[in-house]
Amino acid sequence: MAAVERLATGLLFATLVLIGGPACSSTPAPPAAPKLQPRETFDWTGEKISFSIPPAGWRREGETSGGIKGARFVKERSVGEAIGLGDYYVLADRNRSGPIRDILAKFDTFDDGFAWDRALRTAYAYTDTPFSSLESEIAERVNTEVGQASAAYRTHDRDGAKAHLEAALAEASRLHFSLDEVIGRVEFTLEGRQNPEWYHMLGRRETTIAGEPAVVVDYTVKVPERPQTYSAREAYFVHNSHLFICTFIGLKETLPVFDAVVASIEFPK
Amino acid sequence: MNAGRARWVAFTTMVAIAAASACGRGAGTPAERRVAPSREFDFGAHRIQVTAPTNWETLDQGNQKRFRNGEFEIVLEALRPWTSLRPEPSTAPARDLDELFNRGLATLGHDDRREVKERRTVTIDGREAVDIETWSRLDHTNPQRILLVNADGDLLALHTVRMANEESLKAFDSIRHSLHFVSARR
């Protein structure tokens, strides 16, 4: 009988070790990685970007504010959490290569009607608030060539008009922007906010996203109408002279979803 | 009640029932007429047989045939003739299909806010066609379907309108598969 009792005690001890061991361990298991949905490729302003979509339960919407064209994913049945990814079209529009290339592709279809004038208006480069001295220089040359193309077309010199447009395209194609040149226009700062007292800056770090140099800014937001203090993170990076902006606002525990989405970003060839 | 009065009551009752029936169905403009779910439609030189899915009503509005289910709508219509775009109907199909695609989308109001998600070259009852799926460029929502058929030089389009859901996209496929060119009067 004593042997049976010893065996039962031993089994009980072994069971307790097996069940209780992991629970008493000093290092908790790492949280499971967010399960994202399959990646999709977006083309908001002429540069394709691909990333995995937030998990089920995040509603998607179009984003067109703040100079950004992109997508916003809003967590449903939550306290107001959102992830945004977008292309800063204010910068993308500075490069007129696309419109000029379109005009050249359709050059033979234009007659003396309004279509030519309407198309040519899209070829002129912006000259206000340039992002760099290179942009100013190129914009001036592009506009000179486009103006000469217009003048040549008015005198029925189609070959001359086409040659000037090709010269304008060559100039426009030289334009490029780096993150350092453009980030100042969009980066989060307390001074840039209407109510800076609602925000608390946590940090700024440089990193790499999809192989491109990037800047990540962390801060918190506490608005009077809401009981929670929200975590916020913004990431900025440039690819092919397109400035992409990723934003998160929500609960701290949801940040891994944002980080997983950002980590999945790729640029399709 | 004498026989004359009985006939009068019966007549007015029939008129009232007919009027109520027409109003209840939202008869719309005189040009619209309600038709059976499955029938043949005339599009100029073409006569096309179409079967509407169950629970989808069909309206013949001349150049446009509308299939409706609640707020969802699918339209089969003849776009403007595009014969001038293809001087030799039997040659250069690839170039013609590109033109078909571009002109058709432009005519249907496709613009930069929407993006072509998928484009497939298909054959509809022996005619070359392009089957297109579009969605919102920004967030990839609001899917729409467009089928452009080169009907012997005329451009026919079958497309969803405004908004679509899983059921209306299935209905689109059902109508698309039922398209049959009965005759072409040229």
Side-chain angles (χ1 to χ4, degrees), chain A residues 40-41 43-44 60-62, chain B residues 115 135 137-141:
Chain A
E40 293 179 21
T41 299
D43 181 351
W44 295 307
R60 59 174 83 190
E61 300 173 349
Chain B
E115 186 180 31
W135 57 11
R137 178 176 293 278
L138 291 179
D139 56 6
H140 292 180
T141 57

Side-chain angles (χ1 to χ4, degrees), chain A residues 23 28-29 33 41-42 57 62 84 102 108 154 181 189 196 219-220 245 265:
Chain A
T41 299
F42 294 82
D102 287 346
D108 293 335
R154 276 201 301 275
E181 288 171 328
T189 57
Y219 57 95
T220 58
I245 302 174
I265 290 174

Side-chain angles (χ1 to χ4, degrees), chain A residues 3-246:
Chain A
V4 172
E5 278 178 9
R6 274 200 301 276
L7 179 62
T9 307
L11 279 173
L12 179 63
F13 180 73
T15 306
L16 283 174
V17 167
L18 283 172
I19 295 173
C24 297
S25 171
S26 58
T27 52
K35 191 171 165 54
L36 302 181
Q37 297 187 77
R39 68 175 52 248
E40 293 179 21
T41 299
F42 294 82
D43 181 351
W44 295 307
T45 62
E47 187 64 40
K48 288 190 169 88
I49 182 171
S50 153
F51 55 86
S52 300
I53 304 299
W58 290 72
R59 181 184 72 247
R60 59 174 83 190
E61 300 173 349
E63 170 71 88
T64 54
S65 62
I68 295 169
K69 282 183 185 171
R72 187 193 303 123
F73 301 88
V74 180
K75 191 172 184 184
E76 294 174 314
R77 293 183 292 280
S78 182
V79 293
E81 300 185 89
I83 290 172
L85 295 96
D87 191 341
Y88 187 58
Y89 68 83
V90 172
L91 180 72
D93 284 353
R94 296 284 166 153
N95 193 324
R96 307 315 291 163
S97 300
I100 297 172
R101 203 173 281 119
D102 287 346
I103 297 170
L104 283 168
K106 292 190 288 187
F107 190 82
D108 293 335
T109 67
F110 290 112
D111 53 21
D112 292 336
F114 294 115
W116 164 260
D117 290 328
R118 203 164 45 237
L120 206 61
R121 277 200 291 274
T122 67
Y124 284 99
Y126 294 98
T127 55
D128 61 308
T129 55
F131 285 83
S132 68
S133 56
L134 177 69
E135 186 199 347
S136 297
E137 176 207 321
I138 289 175
E140 193 180 327
R141 292 188 186 189
V142 166
N143 291 347
T144 300
E145 294 292 349
V146 173
Q148 289 174 342
S150 176
Y153 202 88
R154 276 201 301 275
T155 59
H156 305 289
D157 176 10
R158 294 179 69 95
D159 291 342
K162 194 171 186 180
H164 282 298
L165 273 185
E166 284 165 347
L169 177 60
E171 289 294 337
S173 300
R174 289 197 302 123
L175 185 59
H176 67 268
F177 297 107
S178 67
L179 180 62
D180 288 344
E181 288 171 328
V182 301
I183 192 172
R185 206 72 71 88
V186 295
E187 184 178 344
F188 173 84
T189 57
L190 295 179
E191 306 80 55
R193 296 292 158 147
Q194 208 165 15
N195 301 95
E197 67 277 12
W198 294 354
Y199 302 87
H200 176 63
M201 192 75 173
L202 295 178
R204 178 190 196 273
R205 60 194 161 92
E206 294 181 1
T207 182
T208 304
I209 294 174
E212 301 285 3
V215 167
V216 175
V217 174
D218 283 302
Y219 57 95
T220 58
V221 192
K222 176 75 179 75
V223 295
E225 305 84 40
R226 300 282 182 125
Q228 305 91 347
T229 296
Y230 286 81
S231 292
R233 179 169 290 172
E234 297 190 5
Y236 317 92
F237 53 98
V238 169
H239 180 77
N240 273 350
S241 294
H242 284 252
L243 171 58
F244 291 93
I245 302 174
C246 309

Side-chain angles (χ1 to χ4, degrees), chain B residues 67-157:
Chain B
F67 304 89
R68 283 185 189 160
N69 183 353
E71 48 193 333
F72 298 101
E73 200 168 280
I74 295 167
V75 172
L76 175 65
E77 64 179 307
L79 305 181
R80 64 188 177 82
W82 68 308
T83 310
S84 59
L85 295 174
R86 48 177 316 186
E88 297 294 334
S90 61
T91 61
R95 186 181 68 84
D96 283 350
L97 272 181
D98 281 343
E99 288 176 358
L100 174 77
F101 176 78
N102 292 329
R103 295 288 179 123
L105 283 185
T107 307
L108 292 173
H110 179 87
D111 61 26
D112 197 46
R113 288 172 296 181
R114 296 191 64 77
E115 186 180 31
V116 174
K117 179 189 176 191
E118 195 175 352
R119 167 192 166 170
R120 290 182 301 127
T121 302
V122 294
T123 303
I124 299 292
D125 209 22
R127 285 148 178 89
E128 61 184 0
V130 190
D131 196 346
I132 303 158
E133 185 172 352
T134 70
W135 57 11
S136 160
R137 178 176 293 278
L138 291 179
D139 56 6
H140 292 180
T141 57
N142 191 17
Q144 297 285 341
R145 289 285 300 276
I146 302 166
L147 177 75
L148 299 168
V149 186
N150 174 11
D152 308 316
D154 293 325
L155 182 52
L156 282 174

